[in-house]
Amino acid sequence: MRKTVQLLIALVLIVSISMPKLSNAASDDLIVTGKILNLREGPGLSYPILDELKEGDTLSTIEKSGDWIHVKSGNTEGWVASWLTKPLTEKESAETSKIIISQVDHLNVRAEPSLSAAVLAQLFLGNEANYIKSENDWIQIQFGTVTGWVSSQYITIKDRSIENNQSPVASTAKGNLFTVTVDAVNVRKKADLTSKRIGVAYNGEQFTVLDQAKNWVQIQYADKTKGWIYSFYGTFSTNGNTAAPSNGQASDESVTIIYDGTNLREEASTASAIVHLGNVGETYPILSTEGDWYKIALKDGQVAFVANWVVSLNNATQHVSSTQKNSSSRKKGTLRGLTIVIDPGHGGNDHGTTGVRGTDEKDITLKTAELLKSKLRAAGADVVLTRESDVYVDLRKRVAMGHQVEADAFISIHYDATENSSVSGVTTYYMNSYQKQLAEYVHAGLSKKVSIRDRGVQPGNYLVLRENRQEAILIELGFLSNPSEERNITTDYYREQATLGIYQGILNYFDAQL
């Protein structure tokens, strides 16, 4: 018995000596250095994960246990591996007090530092947001309740004024609007993917914002029904841009149907019942706007909705013809006063062609379009993209966007493919005779900047050219089906040279019109 007691005492002493001692540490903040850091229930890899932290997140230290640190992240406490953190330096702490200021209108705030990422919100000229960190050419920001990424090309970074400690006011505040940008998205009872579904919202539908929580937005779904939508599936805007005329009467604007058999519907949704079929040339006064839909008055007194991609917009007070725009005081070497639509081919579930090395056409057309947009805007042009993220946009809607803004040029960007893997080169297509001269100028500029085979200017029966009233061209920037060419045309250098050539060709074309 005595030996047993002595053995137990010895074991207790050994365990107490070998156990790590807990020590209350100073409340110095930490910063996460790993790409991903799991916040766990206890000090060890076997404990359940409470949350997933990302590089750059800051933490408050509570105590330490060996190689593990008890921390507080927001309102959540847990344990993290010390080797994936470091003390927050004065410099890093100072960076958290910086702000960014948007230098352009409609600056996309994206879910990830990538042009193919979903658009969470938009900044307008002069909007401020909290700086979080930088990664290559991207800046992570906090804009109201939205955390996302913006391109560093279009912002300036400043130290926050000591006198002004208020957070920037986001355009995503309560009372503003959320527009669905995917085909359909579930509306849920709570801000959780496992929550009960109370309905479905469709592309173009617009809802009043009631609240936000992390990556969710609460909307007024029906008259007395509130619901939550994952904010990655839409964009925010101010309700001032879409308000109906206050007197309930028709505005000065009207729409003209551009396709025979156009569906005019009961509600602003493609799932709504059809009340009338419109034919090309018919004109209807606009009562109000709801997302991508116009509320219009029919001749028999009925009200209906028509999608904005199957009509052209007429404005009695603000209509300016292309001739009038071009006769303004534009100087050679600039594009001021011109509107140019860039159409990044494919998107969403339409991947376009996929290269032998796995490149999806839809991804590099968007990257190319963004580069071209920055060059054209720098020359003074008003640039419109038919898509700004990885979403599907109907071909007729793309054409209609050019008609609505009365584009001076419509440039569709693509990459080519064929069964013969030896075929290579760059081609510029046009369809109508009034598009040929633009194609020739742009192709001349492009062929001077890229080194791959020149396939010339050719007629091409593509919908975005055939149905386009504007001066429109479609450019195939090389063959993804050719392994060697795919390796070349998917580089940053190639995209830079190609967009420089296209830009120069557009500039030369409009200079020749003066």
Side-chain angles (χ1 to χ4, degrees):
M1 184 68 178
R2 185 181 301 164
K3 288 182 178 179
T4 302
V5 172
Q6 289 174 341
L7 182 59
L8 288 172
I9 293 171
L11 286 171
V12 169
L13 288 172
I14 292 170
V15 170
S16 64
I17 292 170
S18 61
M19 281 183 65
K21 295 180 181 180
L22 296 178
S23 60
N24 289 329
S27 58
D28 296 334
D29 285 340
L30 300 173
I31 186 168
V32 177
T33 56
K35 292 290 183 185
I36 294 176
L37 175 61
N38 292 324
L39 182 68
R40 297 181 179 272
E41 283 188 2
L45 295 173
S46 60
Y47 286 92
I49 297 171
L50 299 174
D51 197 3
E52 191 176 85
L53 307 176
K54 295 182 179 179
E55 184 179 10
D57 288 349
T58 56
L59 310 168
S60 297
T61 302
I62 299 173
E63 60 181 354
K64 294 181 180 178
S65 175
D67 289 332
W68 291 82
I69 306 174
H70 188 191
V71 298
K72 188 172 183 179
S73 172
N75 295 321
T76 306
E77 289 187 16
W79 293 81
V80 296
S82 62
W83 59 88
L84 294 176
T85 67
K86 70 176 183 178
L88 189 65
T89 65
E90 290 184 8
K91 178 181 177 182
E92 289 163 334
S93 181
E95 284 187 340
T96 63
S97 66
K98 292 180 179 179
I99 61 171
I100 67 98
I101 301 174
S102 175
Q103 299 300 301
V104 295
D105 277 333
H106 305 289
L107 175 60
N108 290 327
V109 182
R110 297 184 182 272
E112 300 291 341
S114 166
L115 291 175
S116 60
V119 177
L120 307 180
Q122 287 189 329
L123 301 182
F124 290 85
L125 180 65
N127 279 164
E128 296 182 358
N130 293 327
Y131 173 100
I132 298 177
K133 65 177 181 178
S134 62
E135 184 174 307
N136 297 325
D137 294 328
W138 294 85
I139 305 293
Q140 189 179 37
I141 64 167
Q142 180 77 34
F143 184 53
T145 58
V146 175
T147 299
W149 297 82
V150 295
S151 171
S152 61
Q153 298 179 61
Y154 307 115
I155 58 102
T156 56
I157 301 173
K158 289 178 60 178
D159 290 328
R160 184 183 301 281
S161 170
I162 296 174
E163 293 80 10
N164 180 14
N165 290 321
Q166 295 181 345
S167 298
V169 178
S171 66
T172 56
K174 294 180 183 178
N176 288 339
L177 302 173
F178 180 82
T179 304
V180 178
T181 57
V182 294
D183 290 341
V185 58
N186 291 324
V187 182
R188 299 188 180 274
K189 188 174 183 179
K190 297 179 181 179
D192 191 317
L193 288 172
T194 61
S195 178
K196 180 182 177 182
R197 189 182 75 174
I198 62 173
V200 178
Y202 296 94
N203 190 355
E205 291 186 330
Q206 201 165 52
F207 303 93
T208 300
V209 175
L210 302 176
D211 198 2
Q212 287 183 262
K214 293 188 176 178
N215 293 321
W216 291 82
V217 55
Q218 188 183 41
I219 61 168
Q220 189 69 50
Y221 179 59
D223 289 343
K224 296 182 179 180
T225 306
K226 301 175 183 178
W228 292 86
I229 291 180
Y230 207 42
S231 63
F232 287 178
Y233 297 132
T235 58
F236 295 93
S237 62
T238 57
N239 52 16
N241 293 334
T242 55
S246 58
N247 60 8
Q249 301 298 315
S251 69
D252 289 334
E253 292 183 317
S254 62
V255 293
T256 300
I257 305 298
I258 58 177
Y259 302 111
D260 281 333
T262 293
N263 295 324
L264 309 183
R265 300 180 181 273
E266 281 186 357
E267 303 291 339
S269 167
T270 54
S272 177
I274 299 169
V275 299
H276 183 70
L277 291 178
N279 290 316
V280 63
E282 293 178 352
T283 300
Y284 300 95
I286 297 173
L287 300 177
S288 63
T289 305
E290 293 188 19
D292 286 339
W293 295 77
Y294 293 118
K295 184 178 181 180
I296 60 174
L298 303 184
K299 291 178 174 58
D300 60 1
Q302 275 188 291
V303 171
F305 289 84
V306 62
N308 66 13
W309 58 90
V310 291
V311 297
S312 61
L313 184 64
N314 314 308
N315 187 318
T317 59
Q318 297 180 1
H319 181 82
V320 180
S321 70
S322 297
T323 305
Q324 289 173 315
K325 286 194 296 182
N326 293 341
S327 63
S328 61
S329 56
R330 182 173 62 85
K331 297 179 180 178
K332 282 195 174 185
T334 75
L335 298 172
R336 192 169 305 280
L338 300 176
T339 300
I340 298 174
V341 173
I342 306 175
D343 175 39
H346 311 285
N349 56 10
D350 176 9
H351 291 243
T353 189
T354 299
V356 290
R357 301 174 69 241
T359 305
D360 277 341
E361 183 183 2
K362 66 172 185 175
D363 294 333
I364 55 174
T365 57
L366 185 57
K367 290 179 179 180
T368 307
E370 287 281 356
L371 271 178
L372 179 58
K373 178 182 75 172
S374 65
K375 291 178 174 63
L376 296 174
R377 279 187 173 170
D382 181 15
V383 183
V384 177
L385 263 63
T386 59
R387 68 179 181 96
E388 295 189 337
S389 60
D390 186 17
V391 295
Y392 174 77
V393 180
D394 182 83
L395 292 178
R396 294 186 184 276
K397 180 175 180 179
R398 296 174 192 240
V399 173
M401 290 174 73
H403 293 166
Q404 287 168 10
V405 298
E406 294 187 315
D408 297 284
F410 182 103
I411 314 295
S412 192
I413 303 295
H414 288 261
Y415 288 79
D416 221 334
T418 182
E419 291 182 0
N420 184 347
S421 61
S422 66
V423 176
S424 66
V426 59
T427 319
T428 302
Y429 292 96
Y430 69 96
M431 175 66 185
N432 301 305
S433 58
Y434 55 84
Q435 300 164 342
K436 184 176 181 181
Q437 191 178 30
L438 174 63
E440 290 172 341
Y441 269 93
V442 170
H443 190 83
L446 177 60
S447 60
K448 289 178 182 176
K449 290 295 182 182
V450 297
S451 57
I452 64 176
R453 181 188 171 197
D454 182 356
R455 294 170 58 87
V457 175
Q458 302 180 27
N461 189 9
Y462 297 100
L463 187 144
V464 293
L465 304 181
R466 183 178 67 247
E467 303 290 334
N468 217 315
R469 299 198 303 265
Q470 320 305 130
E471 297 184 52
I473 61 174
L474 186 148
I475 308 171
E476 295 281 5
L477 287 167
F479 282 78
L480 293 174
S481 52
N482 182 317
S484 175
E485 189 150 285
E486 180 186 11
R487 189 177 296 108
N488 177 19
I489 64 180
T490 55
T491 63
D492 291 340
Y493 176 77
Y494 180 84
R495 281 192 292 272
E496 176 62 31
Q497 291 301 108
T499 54
L500 189 59
I502 297 170
Y503 158 76
Q504 192 61 56
I506 293 172
L507 194 63
N508 291 344
Y509 171 75
F510 285 108
D511 279 354
Q513 313 304 310
L514 293 177

